[in-house]
Amino acid sequence: MDMKSVIELVNTNRGNGMKESLNRMHHLLDKIGNPEKALSFVHIAGTNGKGSTASFISEILVQANIKTGVFTSPHLEIINERIRVDGALITDEDFIKTTEQVAVVVDGVEQECGERLYSFEILAAVALLYFHQQECDLVVLEAGIGGRLDATNTIATPEVAIVTSIGMDHTRVLGDTLEKIASEKAGIIKEHGDVVLPHFSPSIDEIFKEVAEIKKALIHSVLEKDVKELSVTEDGSTFSYKQFAALKVKMVGKHQVNNALLAIEAALILKNKGYKITDKNISQGIEATYWPGRMEKIQANPTIFIDGAHNPEGVKVLRESIETLFPNKRLTIIVGMMKDKDYMQMIEDIIPFTKKVYTVSPDPYRGFPSRVVAKQLQEKGIEADSFDSTKEVVEFLKKQKESNEIFIVFGSLYLIGDIKKQW
């Protein structure tokens, strides 16, 4: 195999749309020797914030000299980003070698199950096998979609589970209400496990409480009232929480403070379970964490942010960040989303803070029609224009050196990845 054939196997559309159980994934793991049974996990689910929270907790573990594997998705620039050990991306050589060990059993599993494996299932198996071969002490495992039937949910009870947020996304798979989506996310709660949660809403909180009671699991709630001295700027945030004073977060936005809190609580649980994690490790890990493409400032003059807000909850968070960071200012936004999203509603949610909107399609096949969207905005009385490519976006932004405007590029992570590649 080469990297092209690896990507064709683990990052293309395959599978027959049937996802009624985890039997297929369990069968695949059986065939490669059940590497997951030799590993310990921090399991993370949620609509948004999974990647940032995974980054926070993994950085804390690295600071504590705990050999840490991390599995996340999607990637921004190269697929190797999805599999890391102690912050280092899996090399092409190791990616190829490990994928070959999984690929040889794929046909047999599919014939025995009578179903096609999804690429994400194969990729998850590759990651688990790699982490086992690397003898990781802990693996931070991010669910792909949902939780209950996600390929990552084939693990036994993790050391700690985290649910970051509940929002309306992937509704065709997870359900058309927040309560249905929450039930799917709650599927990562295992027997006698520990789960870290923020406060959601009474109805959502009750769902997690009921599942935890059935599973005899313990909920650890993160409460915003425990946060003191919070300061949020366009260069990061500072806050105090419990025994931690003046913690610093590089990533921008109050939501990143909330993600950091989830990681802190998870680290304290791991510490109580015997992992050698100090308060200093936690403080240093929080301060060192960086997760690209999430309200990331890529230039200061003029101010340019890129943000992977591509669903209603993500756009709500982006709007809150704009209100906090740039009160009474009108911004120029550049947006690109997939055509299966309710993109017009999300754009309209940001309109009150904008002076002009530019559109660009993040993908020639699955992206929204940028010119059509721009025209629709113009018909609503909104100043709008379109770009034909992300290359044009980058060229436009590079020419704004004398501008005092604030630019925010947001939408699909494919768009944000392309912008970063070309920047």
Side-chain angles (χ1 to χ4, degrees), residues 392-412:
E392 283 189 11
V393 173
V394 171
E395 289 173 349
F396 167 77
L397 291 172
K398 293 280 190 182
K399 293 177 181 177
Q400 306 303 310
K401 292 182 180 179
E402 304 303 319
S403 171
N404 293 320
E405 292 190 39
I406 298 166
F407 298 88
I408 295 184
V409 184
F410 80 95
S412 166

mmCIF file with all atom_site columns, all heavy atoms in Angstrom, residues 392-412:
data_model
loop_
_atom_site.group_PDB
_atom_site.id
_atom_site.type_symbol
_atom_site.label_atom_id
_atom_site.label_alt_id
_atom_site.label_comp_id
_atom_site.label_asym_id
_atom_site.label_entity_id
_atom_site.label_seq_id
_atom_site.pdbx_PDB_ins_code
_atom_site.Cartn_x
_atom_site.Cartn_y
_atom_site.Cartn_z
_atom_site.occupancy
_atom_site.B_iso_or_equiv
_atom_site.pdbx_formal_charge
_atom_site.auth_seq_id
_atom_site.auth_comp_id
_atom_site.auth_asym_id
_atom_site.auth_atom_id
_atom_site.pdbx_PDB_model_num
ATOM 1   N N   . GLU A 1 392 ? -8.903  32.135 -4.122 1.00 0.00 ? 392 GLU A N   1
ATOM 2   C CA  . GLU A 1 392 ? -9.308  33.525 -4.260 1.00 0.00 ? 392 GLU A CA  1
ATOM 3   C C   . GLU A 1 392 ? -9.507  34.187 -2.899 1.00 0.00 ? 392 GLU A C   1
ATOM 4   O O   . GLU A 1 392 ? -9.192  35.363 -2.714 1.00 0.00 ? 392 GLU A O   1
ATOM 5   C CB  . GLU A 1 392 ? -10.607 33.617 -5.066 1.00 0.00 ? 392 GLU A CB  1
ATOM 6   C CG  . GLU A 1 392 ? -10.428 33.435 -6.565 1.00 0.00 ? 392 GLU A CG  1
ATOM 7   C CD  . GLU A 1 392 ? -11.706 33.750 -7.323 1.00 0.00 ? 392 GLU A CD  1
ATOM 8   O OE1 . GLU A 1 392 ? -12.650 34.304 -6.712 1.00 0.00 ? 392 GLU A OE1 1
ATOM 9   O OE2 . GLU A 1 392 ? -11.764 33.438 -8.527 1.00 0.00 ? 392 GLU A OE2 1
ATOM 10  N N   . VAL A 1 393 ? -10.032 33.433 -1.943 1.00 0.00 ? 393 VAL A N   1
ATOM 11  C CA  . VAL A 1 393 ? -10.227 33.962 -0.585 1.00 0.00 ? 393 VAL A CA  1
ATOM 12  C C   . VAL A 1 393 ? -8.895  34.373 0.018  1.00 0.00 ? 393 VAL A C   1
ATOM 13  O O   . VAL A 1 393 ? -8.746  35.479 0.565  1.00 0.00 ? 393 VAL A O   1
ATOM 14  C CB  . VAL A 1 393 ? -10.922 32.924 0.316  1.00 0.00 ? 393 VAL A CB  1
ATOM 15  C CG1 . VAL A 1 393 ? -10.957 33.411 1.764  1.00 0.00 ? 393 VAL A CG1 1
ATOM 16  C CG2 . VAL A 1 393 ? -12.327 32.620 -0.175 1.00 0.00 ? 393 VAL A CG2 1
ATOM 17  N N   . VAL A 1 394 ? -7.911  33.486 -0.077 1.00 0.00 ? 394 VAL A N   1
ATOM 18  C CA  . VAL A 1 394 ? -6.590  33.763 0.500  1.00 0.00 ? 394 VAL A CA  1
ATOM 19  C C   . VAL A 1 394 ? -5.950  34.967 -0.195 1.00 0.00 ? 394 VAL A C   1
ATOM 20  O O   . VAL A 1 394 ? -5.382  35.847 0.464  1.00 0.00 ? 394 VAL A O   1
ATOM 21  C CB  . VAL A 1 394 ? -5.687  32.514 0.415  1.00 0.00 ? 394 VAL A CB  1
ATOM 22  C CG1 . VAL A 1 394 ? -4.245  32.854 0.797  1.00 0.00 ? 394 VAL A CG1 1
ATOM 23  C CG2 . VAL A 1 394 ? -6.236  31.410 1.327  1.00 0.00 ? 394 VAL A CG2 1
ATOM 24  N N   . GLU A 1 395 ? -6.056  35.025 -1.510 1.00 0.00 ? 395 GLU A N   1
ATOM 25  C CA  . GLU A 1 395 ? -5.486  36.160 -2.255 1.00 0.00 ? 395 GLU A CA  1
ATOM 26  C C   . GLU A 1 395 ? -6.147  37.473 -1.822 1.00 0.00 ? 395 GLU A C   1
ATOM 27  O O   . GLU A 1 395 ? -5.474  38.496 -1.649 1.00 0.00 ? 395 GLU A O   1
ATOM 28  C CB  . GLU A 1 395 ? -5.667  35.948 -3.758 1.00 0.00 ? 395 GLU A CB  1
ATOM 29  C CG  . GLU A 1 395 ? -4.780  34.834 -4.326 1.00 0.00 ? 395 GLU A CG  1
ATOM 30  C CD  . GLU A 1 395 ? -5.095  34.519 -5.782 1.00 0.00 ? 395 GLU A CD  1
ATOM 31  O OE1 . GLU A 1 395 ? -6.137  35.020 -6.286 1.00 0.00 ? 395 GLU A OE1 1
ATOM 32  O OE2 . GLU A 1 395 ? -4.329  33.761 -6.403 1.00 0.00 ? 395 GLU A OE2 1
ATOM 33  N N   . PHE A 1 396 ? -7.454  37.445 -1.636 1.00 0.00 ? 396 PHE A N   1
ATOM 34  C CA  . PHE A 1 396 ? -8.189  38.628 -1.182 1.00 0.00 ? 396 PHE A CA  1
ATOM 35  C C   . PHE A 1 396 ? -7.719  39.068 0.205  1.00 0.00 ? 396 PHE A C   1
ATOM 36  O O   . PHE A 1 396 ? -7.448  40.249 0.441  1.00 0.00 ? 396 PHE A O   1
ATOM 37  C CB  . PHE A 1 396 ? -9.686  38.315 -1.165 1.00 0.00 ? 396 PHE A CB  1
ATOM 38  C CG  . PHE A 1 396 ? -10.520 39.331 -0.437 1.00 0.00 ? 396 PHE A CG  1
ATOM 39  C CD1 . PHE A 1 396 ? -10.823 40.551 -1.021 1.00 0.00 ? 396 PHE A CD1 1
ATOM 40  C CD2 . PHE A 1 396 ? -11.013 39.059 0.836  1.00 0.00 ? 396 PHE A CD2 1
ATOM 41  C CE1 . PHE A 1 396 ? -11.594 41.492 -0.344 1.00 0.00 ? 396 PHE A CE1 1
ATOM 42  C CE2 . PHE A 1 396 ? -11.790 39.986 1.512  1.00 0.00 ? 396 PHE A CE2 1
ATOM 43  C CZ  . PHE A 1 396 ? -12.083 41.206 0.922  1.00 0.00 ? 396 PHE A CZ  1
ATOM 44  N N   . LEU A 1 397 ? -7.603  38.109 1.123  1.00 0.00 ? 397 LEU A N   1
ATOM 45  C CA  . LEU A 1 397 ? -7.205  38.452 2.490  1.00 0.00 ? 397 LEU A CA  1
ATOM 46  C C   . LEU A 1 397 ? -5.770  38.969 2.546  1.00 0.00 ? 397 LEU A C   1
ATOM 47  O O   . LEU A 1 397 ? -5.453  39.872 3.334  1.00 0.00 ? 397 LEU A O   1
ATOM 48  C CB  . LEU A 1 397 ? -7.369  37.226 3.400  1.00 0.00 ? 397 LEU A CB  1
ATOM 49  C CG  . LEU A 1 397 ? -8.814  36.789 3.680  1.00 0.00 ? 397 LEU A CG  1
ATOM 50  C CD1 . LEU A 1 397 ? -8.827  35.462 4.426  1.00 0.00 ? 397 LEU A CD1 1
ATOM 51  C CD2 . LEU A 1 397 ? -9.574  37.858 4.462  1.00 0.00 ? 397 LEU A CD2 1
ATOM 52  N N   . LYS A 1 398 ? -4.918  38.425 1.714  1.00 0.00 ? 398 LYS A N   1
ATOM 53  C CA  . LYS A 1 398 ? -3.512  38.856 1.693  1.00 0.00 ? 398 LYS A CA  1
ATOM 54  C C   . LYS A 1 398 ? -3.377  40.308 1.230  1.00 0.00 ? 398 LYS A C   1
ATOM 55  O O   . LYS A 1 398 ? -2.383  40.976 1.540  1.00 0.00 ? 398 LYS A O   1
ATOM 56  C CB  . LYS A 1 398 ? -2.691  37.952 0.778  1.00 0.00 ? 398 LYS A CB  1
ATOM 57  C CG  . LYS A 1 398 ? -2.541  36.520 1.250  1.00 0.00 ? 398 LYS A CG  1
ATOM 58  C CD  . LYS A 1 398 ? -1.482  36.370 2.315  1.00 0.00 ? 398 LYS A CD  1
ATOM 59  C CE  . LYS A 1 398 ? -1.184  34.893 2.580  1.00 0.00 ? 398 LYS A CE  1
ATOM 60  N NZ  . LYS A 1 398 ? -0.189  34.706 3.644  1.00 0.00 ? 398 LYS A NZ  1
ATOM 61  N N   . LYS A 1 399 ? -4.364  40.777 0.481  1.00 0.00 ? 399 LYS A N   1
ATOM 62  C CA  . LYS A 1 399 ? -4.310  42.146 -0.040 1.00 0.00 ? 399 LYS A CA  1
ATOM 63  C C   . LYS A 1 399 ? -4.857  43.180 0.955  1.00 0.00 ? 399 LYS A C   1
ATOM 64  O O   . LYS A 1 399 ? -4.835  44.370 0.663  1.00 0.00 ? 399 LYS A O   1
ATOM 65  C CB  . LYS A 1 399 ? -5.109  42.239 -1.337 1.00 0.00 ? 399 LYS A CB  1
ATOM 66  C CG  . LYS A 1 399 ? -4.506  41.458 -2.497 1.00 0.00 ? 399 LYS A CG  1
ATOM 67  C CD  . LYS A 1 399 ? -5.410  41.537 -3.722 1.00 0.00 ? 399 LYS A CD  1
ATOM 68  C CE  . LYS A 1 399 ? -4.830  40.727 -4.880 1.00 0.00 ? 399 LYS A CE  1
ATOM 69  N NZ  . LYS A 1 399 ? -5.736  40.731 -6.060 1.00 0.00 ? 399 LYS A NZ  1
ATOM 70  N N   . GLN A 1 400 ? -5.315  42.726 2.123  1.00 0.00 ? 400 GLN A N   1
ATOM 71  C CA  . GLN A 1 400 ? -5.980  43.630 3.059  1.00 0.00 ? 400 GLN A CA  1
ATOM 72  C C   . GLN A 1 400 ? -5.035  44.226 4.099  1.00 0.00 ? 400 GLN A C   1
ATOM 73  O O   . GLN A 1 400 ? -5.449  44.609 5.186  1.00 0.00 ? 400 GLN A O   1
ATOM 74  C CB  . GLN A 1 400 ? -7.115  42.886 3.775  1.00 0.00 ? 400 GLN A CB  1
ATOM 75  C CG  . GLN A 1 400 ? -8.114  42.222 2.860  1.00 0.00 ? 400 GLN A CG  1
ATOM 76  C CD  . GLN A 1 400 ? -8.760  43.181 1.893  1.00 0.00 ? 400 GLN A CD  1
ATOM 77  O OE1 . GLN A 1 400 ? -9.246  44.234 2.286  1.00 0.00 ? 400 GLN A OE1 1
ATOM 78  N NE2 . GLN A 1 400 ? -8.776  42.811 0.611  1.00 0.00 ? 400 GLN A NE2 1
ATOM 79  N N   . LYS A 1 401 ? -3.754  44.328 3.775  1.00 0.00 ? 401 LYS A N   1
ATOM 80  C CA  . LYS A 1 401 ? -2.756  44.753 4.763  1.00 0.00 ? 401 LYS A CA  1
ATOM 81  C C   . LYS A 1 401 ? -3.017  46.146 5.312  1.00 0.00 ? 401 LYS A C   1
ATOM 82  O O   . LYS A 1 401 ? -2.676  46.431 6.460  1.00 0.00 ? 401 LYS A O   1
ATOM 83  C CB  . LYS A 1 401 ? -1.355  44.675 4.141  1.00 0.00 ? 401 LYS A CB  1
ATOM 84  C CG  . LYS A 1 401 ? -0.896  43.252 3.861  1.00 0.00 ? 401 LYS A CG  1
ATOM 85  C CD  . LYS A 1 401 ? 0.513   43.209 3.294  1.00 0.00 ? 401 LYS A CD  1
ATOM 86  C CE  . LYS A 1 401 ? 0.952   41.763 3.022  1.00 0.00 ? 401 LYS A CE  1
ATOM 87  N NZ  . LYS A 1 401 ? 2.310   41.694 2.455  1.00 0.00 ? 401 LYS A NZ  1
ATOM 88  N N   . GLU A 1 402 ? -3.578  47.014 4.528  1.00 0.00 ? 402 GLU A N   1
ATOM 89  C CA  . GLU A 1 402 ? -3.826  48.383 4.981  1.00 0.00 ? 402 GLU A CA  1
ATOM 90  C C   . GLU A 1 402 ? -5.220  48.537 5.586  1.00 0.00 ? 402 GLU A C   1
ATOM 91  O O   . GLU A 1 402 ? -5.606  49.634 5.983  1.00 0.00 ? 402 GLU A O   1
ATOM 92  C CB  . GLU A 1 402 ? -3.665  49.353 3.803  1.00 0.00 ? 402 GLU A CB  1
ATOM 93  C CG  . GLU A 1 402 ? -2.306  49.271 3.107  1.00 0.00 ? 402 GLU A CG  1
ATOM 94  C CD  . GLU A 1 402 ? -1.154  49.518 4.060  1.00 0.00 ? 402 GLU A CD  1
ATOM 95  O OE1 . GLU A 1 402 ? -1.269  50.422 4.905  1.00 0.00 ? 402 GLU A OE1 1
ATOM 96  O OE2 . GLU A 1 402 ? -0.140  48.796 3.968  1.00 0.00 ? 402 GLU A OE2 1
ATOM 97  N N   . SER A 1 403 ? -5.945  47.452 5.675  1.00 0.00 ? 403 SER A N   1
ATOM 98  C CA  . SER A 1 403 ? -7.321  47.525 6.151  1.00 0.00 ? 403 SER A CA  1
ATOM 99  C C   . SER A 1 403 ? -7.394  47.500 7.671  1.00 0.00 ? 403 SER A C   1
ATOM 100 O O   . SER A 1 403 ? -6.591  46.847 8.336  1.00 0.00 ? 403 SER A O   1
ATOM 101 C CB  . SER A 1 403 ? -8.127  46.347 5.587  1.00 0.00 ? 403 SER A CB  1
ATOM 102 O OG  . SER A 1 403 ? -9.396  46.268 6.192  1.00 0.00 ? 403 SER A OG  1
ATOM 103 N N   . ASN A 1 404 ? -8.360  48.207 8.221  1.00 0.00 ? 404 ASN A N   1
ATOM 104 C CA  . ASN A 1 404 ? -8.620  48.160 9.659  1.00 0.00 ? 404 ASN A CA  1
ATOM 105 C C   . ASN A 1 404 ? -9.806  47.268 9.985  1.00 0.00 ? 404 ASN A C   1
ATOM 106 O O   . ASN A 1 404 ? -10.272 47.247 11.119 1.00 0.00 ? 404 ASN A O   1
ATOM 107 C CB  . ASN A 1 404 ? -8.891  49.579 10.184 1.00 0.00 ? 404 ASN A CB  1
ATOM 108 C CG  . ASN A 1 404 ? -7.655  50.460 10.110 1.00 0.00 ? 404 ASN A CG  1
ATOM 109 O OD1 . ASN A 1 404 ? -6.548  50.007 10.396 1.00 0.00 ? 404 ASN A OD1 1
ATOM 110 N ND2 . ASN A 1 404 ? -7.844  51.714 9.720  1.00 0.00 ? 404 ASN A ND2 1
ATOM 111 N N   . GLU A 1 405 ? -10.274 46.527 8.993  1.00 0.00 ? 405 GLU A N   1
ATOM 112 C CA  . GLU A 1 405 ? -11.445 45.681 9.198  1.00 0.00 ? 405 GLU A CA  1
ATOM 113 C C   . GLU A 1 405 ? -11.094 44.415 9.975  1.00 0.00 ? 405 GLU A C   1
ATOM 114 O O   . GLU A 1 405 ? -9.929  44.032 10.106 1.00 0.00 ? 405 GLU A O   1
ATOM 115 C CB  . GLU A 1 405 ? -12.055 45.303 7.845  1.00 0.00 ? 405 GLU A CB  1
ATOM 116 C CG  . GLU A 1 405 ? -12.675 46.480 7.107  1.00 0.00 ? 405 GLU A CG  1
ATOM 117 C CD  . GLU A 1 405 ? -13.471 46.019 5.904  1.00 0.00 ? 405 GLU A CD  1
ATOM 118 O OE1 . GLU A 1 405 ? -14.147 44.980 6.011  1.00 0.00 ? 405 GLU A OE1 1
ATOM 119 O OE2 . GLU A 1 405 ? -13.406 46.700 4.872  1.00 0.00 ? 405 GLU A OE2 1
ATOM 120 N N   . ILE A 1 406 ? -12.142 43.786 10.486 1.00 0.00 ? 406 ILE A N   1
ATOM 121 C CA  . ILE A 1 406 ? -12.018 42.494 11.155 1.00 0.00 ? 406 ILE A CA  1
ATOM 122 C C   . ILE A 1 406 ? -12.697 41.463 10.253 1.00 0.00 ? 406 ILE A C   1
ATOM 123 O O   . ILE A 1 406 ? -13.858 41.624 9.866  1.00 0.00 ? 406 ILE A O   1
ATOM 124 C CB  . ILE A 1 406 ? -12.691 42.515 12.535 1.00 0.00 ? 406 ILE A CB  1
ATOM 125 C CG1 . ILE A 1 406 ? -12.002 43.553 13.437 1.00 0.00 ? 406 ILE A CG1 1
ATOM 126 C CG2 . ILE A 1 406 ? -12.640 41.129 13.184 1.00 0.00 ? 406 ILE A CG2 1
ATOM 127 C CD1 . ILE A 1 406 ? -12.786 43.879 14.682 1.00 0.00 ? 406 ILE A CD1 1
ATOM 128 N N   . PHE A 1 407 ? -11.950 40.420 9.893  1.00 0.00 ? 407 PHE A N   1
ATOM 129 C CA  . PHE A 1 407 ? -12.459 39.372 9.003  1.00 0.00 ? 407 PHE A CA  1
ATOM 130 C C   . PHE A 1 407 ? -12.620 38.064 9.776  1.00 0.00 ? 407 PHE A C   1
ATOM 131 O O   . PHE A 1 407 ? -11.718 37.673 10.537 1.00 0.00 ? 407 PHE A O   1
ATOM 132 C CB  . PHE A 1 407 ? -11.503 39.140 7.838  1.00 0.00 ? 407 PHE A CB  1
ATOM 133 C CG  . PHE A 1 407 ? -11.296 40.334 6.951  1.00 0.00 ? 407 PHE A CG  1
ATOM 134 C CD1 . PHE A 1 407 ? -10.313 41.273 7.236  1.00 0.00 ? 407 PHE A CD1 1
ATOM 135 C CD2 . PHE A 1 407 ? -12.084 40.533 5.829  1.00 0.00 ? 407 PHE A CD2 1
ATOM 136 C CE1 . PHE A 1 407 ? -10.113 42.381 6.427  1.00 0.00 ? 407 PHE A CE1 1
ATOM 137 C CE2 . PHE A 1 407 ? -11.902 41.633 5.005  1.00 0.00 ? 407 PHE A CE2 1
ATOM 138 C CZ  . PHE A 1 407 ? -10.911 42.563 5.308  1.00 0.00 ? 407 PHE A CZ  1
ATOM 139 N N   . ILE A 1 408 ? -13.743 37.401 9.566  1.00 0.00 ? 408 ILE A N   1
ATOM 140 C CA  . ILE A 1 408 ? -13.934 36.063 10.131 1.00 0.00 ? 408 ILE A CA  1
ATOM 141 C C   . ILE A 1 408 ? -14.351 35.121 9.015  1.00 0.00 ? 408 ILE A C   1
ATOM 142 O O   . ILE A 1 408 ? -15.346 35.356 8.314  1.00 0.00 ? 408 ILE A O   1
ATOM 143 C CB  . ILE A 1 408 ? -14.986 36.059 11.258 1.00 0.00 ? 408 ILE A CB  1
ATOM 144 C CG1 . ILE A 1 408 ? -14.483 36.881 12.449 1.00 0.00 ? 408 ILE A CG1 1
ATOM 145 C CG2 . ILE A 1 408 ? -15.290 34.619 11.688 1.00 0.00 ? 408 ILE A CG2 1
ATOM 146 C CD1 . ILE A 1 408 ? -15.389 36.865 13.650 1.00 0.00 ? 408 ILE A CD1 1
ATOM 147 N N   . VAL A 1 409 ? -13.557 34.084 8.816  1.00 0.00 ? 409 VAL A N   1
ATOM 148 C CA  . VAL A 1 409 ? -13.862 33.029 7.860  1.00 0.00 ? 409 VAL A CA  1
ATOM 149 C C   . VAL A 1 409 ? -14.422 31.853 8.652  1.00 0.00 ? 409 VAL A C   1
ATOM 150 O O   . VAL A 1 409 ? -13.762 31.353 9.567  1.00 0.00 ? 409 VAL A O   1
ATOM 151 C CB  . VAL A 1 409 ? -12.603 32.587 7.086  1.00 0.00 ? 409 VAL A CB  1
ATOM 152 C CG1 . VAL A 1 409 ? -12.970 31.563 6.022  1.00 0.00 ? 409 VAL A CG1 1
ATOM 153 C CG2 . VAL A 1 409 ? -11.893 33.783 6.467  1.00 0.00 ? 409 VAL A CG2 1
ATOM 154 N N   . PHE A 1 410 ? -15.637 31.411 8.319  1.00 0.00 ? 410 PHE A N   1
ATOM 155 C CA  . PHE A 1 410 ? -16.197 30.297 9.095  1.00 0.00 ? 410 PHE A CA  1
ATOM 156 C C   . PHE A 1 410 ? -17.000 29.360 8.213  1.00 0.00 ? 410 PHE A C   1
ATOM 157 O O   . PHE A 1 410 ? -17.367 29.683 7.078  1.00 0.00 ? 410 PHE A O   1
ATOM 158 C CB  . PHE A 1 410 ? -17.048 30.820 10.260 1.00 0.00 ? 410 PHE A CB  1
ATOM 159 C CG  . PHE A 1 410 ? -18.444 31.260 9.891  1.00 0.00 ? 410 PHE A CG  1
ATOM 160 C CD1 . PHE A 1 410 ? -19.516 30.396 10.026 1.00 0.00 ? 410 PHE A CD1 1
ATOM 161 C CD2 . PHE A 1 410 ? -18.682 32.544 9.417  1.00 0.00 ? 410 PHE A CD2 1
ATOM 162 C CE1 . PHE A 1 410 ? -20.804 30.801 9.707  1.00 0.00 ? 410 PHE A CE1 1
ATOM 163 C CE2 . PHE A 1 410 ? -19.962 32.957 9.093  1.00 0.00 ? 410 PHE A CE2 1
ATOM 164 C CZ  . PHE A 1 410 ? -21.028 32.082 9.237  1.00 0.00 ? 410 PHE A CZ  1
ATOM 165 N N   . GLY A 1 411 ? -17.275 28.185 8.778  1.00 0.00 ? 411 GLY A N   1
ATOM 166 C CA  . GLY A 1 411 ? -18.068 27.191 8.064  1.00 0.00 ? 411 GLY A CA  1
ATOM 167 C C   . GLY A 1 411 ? -17.436 25.819 8.123  1.00 0.00 ? 411 GLY A C   1
ATOM 168 O O   . GLY A 1 411 ? -16.814 25.445 9.127  1.00 0.00 ? 411 GLY A O   1
ATOM 169 N N   . SER A 1 412 ? -17.555 25.073 7.041  1.00 0.00 ? 412 SER A N   1
ATOM 170 C CA  . SER A 1 412 ? -17.080 23.696 6.971  1.00 0.00 ? 412 SER A CA  1
ATOM 171 C C   . SER A 1 412 ? -15.605 23.589 7.342  1.00 0.00 ? 412 SER A C   1
ATOM 172 O O   . SER A 1 412 ? -14.791 24.439 6.984  1.00 0.00 ? 412 SER A O   1
ATOM 173 C CB  . SER A 1 412 ? -17.290 23.156 5.555  1.00 0.00 ? 412 SER A CB  1
ATOM 174 O OG  . SER A 1 412 ? -16.573 21.960 5.353  1.00 0.00 ? 412 SER A OG  1
#
